Amino acid sequence: MSIKYLLFVVICLGIARHAYAVDLTLKPGETSNAAIDATIKKIRDNCILAQDYFFLKRLSVAQMNSIAATTGGIWRVTSAQLTTVRNACNGILKTKCNEVKTEFNVDVSTLTISDLQKPLYSGLAMSLFILNSVSPVPLQKAKQAQSWKTHINSNGDTTEFVTWSNELEQLNDCAGAQMDLLFLIDSSGSVGKDNFIKTLEFLNNIVSNLDIGEEETRVAVIRFSHFAIVSFNLGKYSTKTAVTSAINAIYYDGGLTHTDLALDLARTDIFATTTRKSIAAKVLVLVTDGQSRSEAKTVAAAKKLKDMGVTIFTIGVVNPRKSELMASASEPNCTHFIDLKSYDDIDFIVKEIKTETCKAVLNAENGVDHSNNPIPKADTTKEQVVDVTKTIQSNSGTMITVSVQCGEVTVYGAYNNNQPSLASYDYMITATDTNPGKLYIVKPTYPSTFHLTIISRRRIDPRISTCHNPQYNVSFEATDASIKVKYAQNNKEVLCSSDDLKDILEKSKSIQPVNFRISFVLGYELAEIKKCR
């Protein structure tokens, strides 16, 4: 005889245990922006269509705006396009289709048009169609619009495509980003002064879309050739105008390409210390046109930076050594390395670099508070991605507490999703000024990093006085919790510790230990046990 256990109450301070395991990318008929963004992220992060230059996002809007809802899903994939993809899976796209099957357990050869009601399936089908028919994806919006009309939607209006794309880019997805952003720019002889100026314009275009400030985004620049020198350090300039002026004042050197010296200087100078009150994501964007004097030294120097939590994007222009820049970039390197044919193209990747850098991961250790995090004072939403390491210090798990001043905060969490969101998460809590959020994360049965996405927004309430310093704090504490369990059989309540429950669950043949983190909320049929142990 089996007994069903059901979580009844968590004793510690009324803490809620959330384990929703939500994934809107697999929900038929879902068309929300959250589902679209989560779908694109899955496709990019698994290197199916890594360098799409924002095309897949623009395409989702254009297709939904110009074609009535059909069984082709968000990307309005037609039966003919799906047939083309299935046929290509036996030929030119065989390797890529095998990757889709491995990463997503989706056999493209058996997909039906009705399957594409799921956002992920629609996105995968369109991505494969693009690889078969449009590749390489153009960088410019106007050329993407023409490719859309030529290969995907012959009735499409290219002018409207560009208009919709411009509207997308009006959204400030970098509002209040807490980031220390370092540009490493190649000033060697092969670049030339004209191309060096184009690099500076690229930097300014990225900065123009950021919130510059001591507790928001700080910018630094290192230029390198046969030597490396700090043009200006983090925090030296605290306004957008000042940063732009400083970038324009950087001069061209000429000489050899010692990329490793610049990376070492970044580690020992720029990222060595911080004067911030709050912690921030560390991001490095490397722009180079050629091959460094030593690939081995460059890759080794980049590894040291990545080991200290720096996210590295590499941009190779004209004739880079791809192996070097891919090895130097953060994982997945298919999304952190961009290969450009000309410096004339560099301005077309501003949107992609800006969006990706703003979502770079902030690393926080268990037990180290994430404090004084500014919330945008304007009516905008801020997104911060945090990886909590060392979540296995306690016997059972980690307590995450969120407190807010003049704002509203929603936190999404997951172990197996490196950027949880409204569309895809396992845990979720909300917090306001008067109601702090508390989340108890159960220790996994294997060492793991817990991923958080923190969405914050200023609280606009005419009934309260104006708040000049909206912010939130997040604390991480390794802790154990006691849990009340109710026997469904006879309605008897028994107090069990989390270790007791873990012992019960791991003895149960119906529960895999890896799923222990979600077992507190859902009822399961367990082996007959009359007491906690």
Side-chain angles (χ1 to χ4, degrees):
M1 178 179 180
S2 64
I3 300 172
K4 179 173 285 189
Y5 286 86
L6 180 67
L7 173 68
F8 185 58
V9 177
V10 178
I11 299 300
C12 292
L13 304 176
I15 302 156
R17 293 175 186 268
H18 302 270
Y20 296 87
V22 169
D23 190 351
L24 297 184
T25 70
L26 297 176
K27 182 181 178 182
E30 181 66 40
T31 60
S32 65
N33 283 329
I36 293 170
D37 290 342
T39 295
I40 293 172
K41 180 169 177 22
K42 285 185 177 183
I43 291 169
R44 282 173 52 82
D45 284 357
N46 286 281
C47 302
I48 304 303
L49 183 63
Q51 297 302 334
D52 72 319
Y53 307 112
F54 221 59
F55 184 43
L56 207 53
K57 175 70 172 182
R58 292 167 178 157
L59 191 58
S60 68
V61 175
Q63 289 288 84
M64 287 195 294
N65 283 349
S66 59
I67 302 175
T70 66
T71 52
I74 289 171
W75 280 270
R76 305 299 196 249
V77 180
T78 66
S79 295
Q81 289 167 345
L82 181 58
T83 298
T84 296
V85 168
R86 286 198 300 249
N87 291 337
C89 282
N90 294 319
I92 191 172
L93 293 181
K94 185 174 183 179
T95 299
K96 192 63 69 172
C97 292
N98 287 338
E99 291 175 8
V100 169
K101 189 171 184 178
T102 299
E103 299 298 336
F104 299 105
N105 196 28
V106 174
D107 187 348
V108 179
S109 65
T110 64
L111 282 182
T112 65
I113 197 70
S114 60
D115 290 332
L116 305 189
Q117 284 292 88
K118 296 179 180 179
L120 179 60
Y121 289 16
S122 180
L124 286 170
M126 181 54 74
S127 296
L128 293 170
F129 184 79
I130 290 169
L131 288 171
N132 183 72
S133 307
V134 183
S135 185
V137 176
L139 281 77
Q140 301 94 328
K141 281 178 285 191
K143 290 186 177 181
Q144 287 184 4
Q146 190 57 54
S147 291
W148 169 58
K149 182 176 178 64
T150 301
H151 301 288
I152 298 171
N153 183 355
S154 59
N155 295 319
D157 186 319
T158 56
T159 301
E160 287 188 331
F161 183 99
V162 173
T163 299
W164 294 325
S165 298
N166 290 336
E167 290 172 354
L168 270 179
E169 294 178 15
Q170 297 304 311
L171 301 175
N172 185 4
D173 48 8
C174 281
Q178 288 166 242
M179 175 170 56
D180 283 345
L181 175 61
L182 169 62
F183 294 103
L184 261 61
I185 54 175
D186 190 342
S187 179
S188 64
S190 58
V191 173
K193 188 172 182 178
D194 289 345
N195 286 334
F196 186 75
I197 291 173
K198 291 176 184 177
T199 302
L200 299 183
E201 291 172 351
F202 168 67
L203 268 56
N204 276 328
N205 284 333
I206 292 178
V207 168
S208 68
N209 290 281
L210 301 174
D211 290 340
I212 304 298
E214 273 301 307
E215 298 305 320
E216 295 172 311
T217 294
R218 304 189 304 174
V219 178
V221 177
I222 290 176
R223 70 181 190 276
F224 65 94
S225 53
H226 54 279
F227 58 86
I229 187 168
V230 177
S231 295
F232 60 89
N233 212 322
L234 295 171
K236 183 172 183 179
Y237 303 108
S238 57
T239 68
K240 195 174 298 186
T241 300
V243 171
T244 299
S245 296
I247 289 173
N248 290 335
I250 298 173
Y251 54 86
Y252 171 67
D253 297 301
L256 302 177
T257 308
H258 284 279
T259 312
D260 60 303
L261 297 181
L263 292 167
D264 283 337
L265 186 59
R267 175 175 53 84
T268 59
D269 189 318
I270 304 297
F271 293 124
T273 59
T274 182
T275 58
R276 277 183 178 270
K277 295 179 182 178
S278 59
I279 57 177
K282 301 173 183 177
V283 183
L284 185 155
V285 178
L286 166 65
V287 184
T288 181
D289 81 318
Q291 304 174 9
S292 72
R293 301 299 293 176
S294 171
E295 178 174 2
K297 288 182 179 180
T298 296
V299 173
K303 183 180 184 303
K304 291 178 182 178
L305 281 163
K306 289 184 283 187
D307 287 346
M308 63 186 290
V310 178
T311 299
I312 299 180
F313 294 87
T314 59
I315 302 171
V317 192
V318 184
N319 187 35
R321 184 187 285 127
K322 293 182 182 180
S323 59
E324 174 182 315
L325 295 183
M326 291 185 72
S328 298
S330 293
E331 293 292 335
N333 57 28
C334 63
T335 62
H336 288 78
F337 163 63
I338 297 178
D339 183 19
L340 299 177
K341 303 303 180 187
S342 165
Y343 272 93
D344 292 331
D345 293 335
I346 197 167
D347 207 35
F348 296 113
I349 62 170
V350 168
K351 174 65 177 176
E352 190 153 1
I353 289 295
K354 176 181 75 80
T355 299
E356 292 299 317
T357 55
C358 289
K359 294 182 179 179
V361 172
L362 186 158
N363 292 287
E365 286 193 10
N366 194 353
V368 179
D369 289 353
H370 178 35
S371 304
N372 304 307
N373 305 283
I375 296 174
K377 294 181 180 180
D379 188 20
T380 54
T381 299
K382 169 186 171 182
E383 178 176 328
Q384 188 80 56
V385 183
V386 180
D387 278 0
V388 187
T389 58
K390 300 183 180 177
T391 57
I392 57 173
Q393 292 176 347
S394 72
N395 289 329
S396 59
T398 297
M399 181 75 70
I400 299 176
T401 304
V402 183
S403 58
V404 188
Q405 176 177 303
C406 302
E408 299 174 349
V409 173
T410 301
V411 180
Y412 301 101
Y415 277 109
N416 298 318
N417 177 355
N418 64 8
Q419 192 175 314
S421 66
L422 173 64
S424 181
Y425 63 90
D426 290 334
Y427 298 84
M428 186 270 285
I429 55 171
T430 58
T432 62
D433 300 57
T434 56
N435 294 297
K438 291 181 179 291
L439 177 64
Y440 183 77
I441 304 301
V442 180
K443 171 187 172 182
T445 55
Y446 53 92
S448 184
T449 295
F450 189 70
H451 309 284
L452 296 174
T453 299
I454 304 171
I455 308 294
S456 61
R457 191 180 187 90
R458 184 183 177 189
R459 187 176 180 184
I460 308 298
D461 190 340
R463 296 170 298 179
I464 61 176
S465 59
T466 302
C467 181
H468 299 289
N469 190 29
Q471 61 178 287
Y472 67 88
N473 299 314
V474 183
S475 64
F476 309 95
E477 179 185 3
T479 186
D480 294 322
S482 294
I483 302 161
K484 275 188 179 179
V485 173
K486 179 190 292 184
Y487 286 143
Q489 184 184 38
N490 54 15
N491 210 34
K492 179 181 178 182
E493 293 181 21
V494 178
L495 184 63
C496 299
S497 72
S498 52
D499 275 353
D500 291 332
L501 280 187
K502 184 175 182 180
D503 184 63
I504 292 170
L505 291 169
E506 290 184 344
K507 287 179 180 177
S508 168
K509 295 181 180 179
S510 62
I511 301 298
Q512 295 296 323
V514 72
N515 290 329
F516 176 66
R517 62 188 173 85
I518 66 171
S519 61
F520 286 107
V521 172
L522 306 177
Y524 291 104
E525 293 290 332
L526 303 178
E528 183 174 358
I529 300 174
K530 297 295 184 182
K531 56 184 180 179
C532 291
R533 285 281 185 179

